[in-house]
Amino acid sequence: MANITKLALEAALKKELLPKPLDKITINDLAEDCGISRMAFYYHFKDIYDLVEWACLEESRKALQGKKTYDTWQEGLLQIFEAVYENKPFIINAYNAISREQIENFLFQLTHDLIMSVVEEQARSTSLTQEQKSFIADFYKYSFVGIMLDWIKQGMKEDYGEIARMIAITLHGGIANSIRNFTKAEE
């Protein structure tokens, strides 16, 4: 039941974001749209920004759908772009209403999970430390997030499929090479 209410609040937020900016939406607006009380809202979220963050994480979890292996990470990346694009009014509004740091943190968490899964898989038979694997994932995470933030900032006009393709070309063999380089440096 709790998840149904959260999903209803997410749908209400997305509906409200079409005609007005995030900073003009009230908890009363969302509660009224869902037929719940303000207190019911606060049972699930501490504020509207908490709802925005939850909605973004839910969308990203759906988008990745297990595409976190070496063979599927490119598809996962493309699905992240698709999910962001499909929620364009919501994302643009959130981007303009909340701090860049909050958007970055959300995207960092999302892309780190994707990349770290690939790094863990590729480094399975190595002696790399968790710190080294995290460094590799972070290195690529910052590239992904920077590119995605630029794309969002520019209004999502560029073809995200082409962006994902160029990222895949640039990254091809990069994680495996980074793992080899760390392994050689330790010998």
Side-chain angles (χ1 to χ4, degrees):
M1 182 72 172
N3 214 29
I4 292 171
T5 303
K6 285 181 169 184
L7 292 170
L9 287 166
E10 175 187 10
L13 176 64
K14 288 179 178 181
K15 183 177 115 186
E16 291 286 330
L17 279 171
L18 292 174
K20 58 185 168 183
L22 186 63
D23 61 354
K24 301 293 184 205
I25 297 170
T26 67
I27 290 169
N28 279 341
D29 294 336
L30 300 176
E32 190 175 296
D33 192 278
C34 294
I36 62 171
S37 69
R38 279 178 54 89
M39 290 313 297
F41 176 92
Y42 287 115
Y43 176 76
H44 300 287
F45 301 104
K46 63 182 179 192
D47 57 25
I48 289 179
Y49 300 105
D50 190 33
L51 169 58
V52 168
E53 185 176 333
W54 181 85
C56 288
L57 289 172
E58 279 300 298
E59 289 297 324
S60 62
R61 282 189 196 106
K62 288 182 219 168
L64 279 177
Q65 295 175 355
K67 305 293 190 220
K68 295 181 351 179
T69 67
Y70 181 75
D71 293 333
T72 61
W73 74 266
Q74 295 171 356
E75 192 177 334
L77 177 65
L78 183 61
Q79 288 174 327
I80 292 169
F81 273 103
E82 286 172 354
V84 169
Y85 188 76
E86 286 170 6
N87 291 286
K88 185 177 178 176
F90 174 72
I91 297 294
I92 294 286
N93 215 322
Y95 180 85
N96 292 323
I98 62 179
S99 75
R100 179 181 169 106
E101 184 179 343
Q102 287 175 293
I103 297 282
E104 283 176 349
N105 287 338
F106 157 68
L107 291 172
F108 284 157
Q109 179 181 345
L110 177 62
T111 55
H112 186 271
D113 289 349
L114 171 64
I115 299 166
M116 191 62 184
S117 294
V118 175
V119 171
E120 290 283 359
E121 177 188 345
Q122 293 290 293
R124 195 173 299 131
S125 62
T126 70
S127 60
L128 261 61
T129 66
Q130 197 59 40
E131 184 178 278
Q132 291 167 325
K133 291 185 273 189
S134 286
F135 182 86
I136 292 168
D138 285 346
F139 181 83
Y140 291 106
K141 166 187 80 175
Y142 286 110
S143 296
F144 284 175
V145 170
I147 289 168
M148 182 165 277
L149 285 172
D150 282 350
W151 177 67
I152 292 169
K153 183 179 178 181
Q154 294 165 8
M156 301 183 197
K157 293 179 182 135
E158 193 174 344
D159 176 17
Y160 62 81
E162 181 61 16
I163 295 169
R165 188 184 76 77
M166 289 190 298
I167 290 171
I169 290 169
T170 302
L171 188 58
H172 183 74
I175 290 174
N177 191 46
S178 294
I179 292 168
R180 270 192 306 279
N181 289 343
F182 268 99
T183 304
K184 285 180 187 176
E186 297 299 312
E187 292 174 354

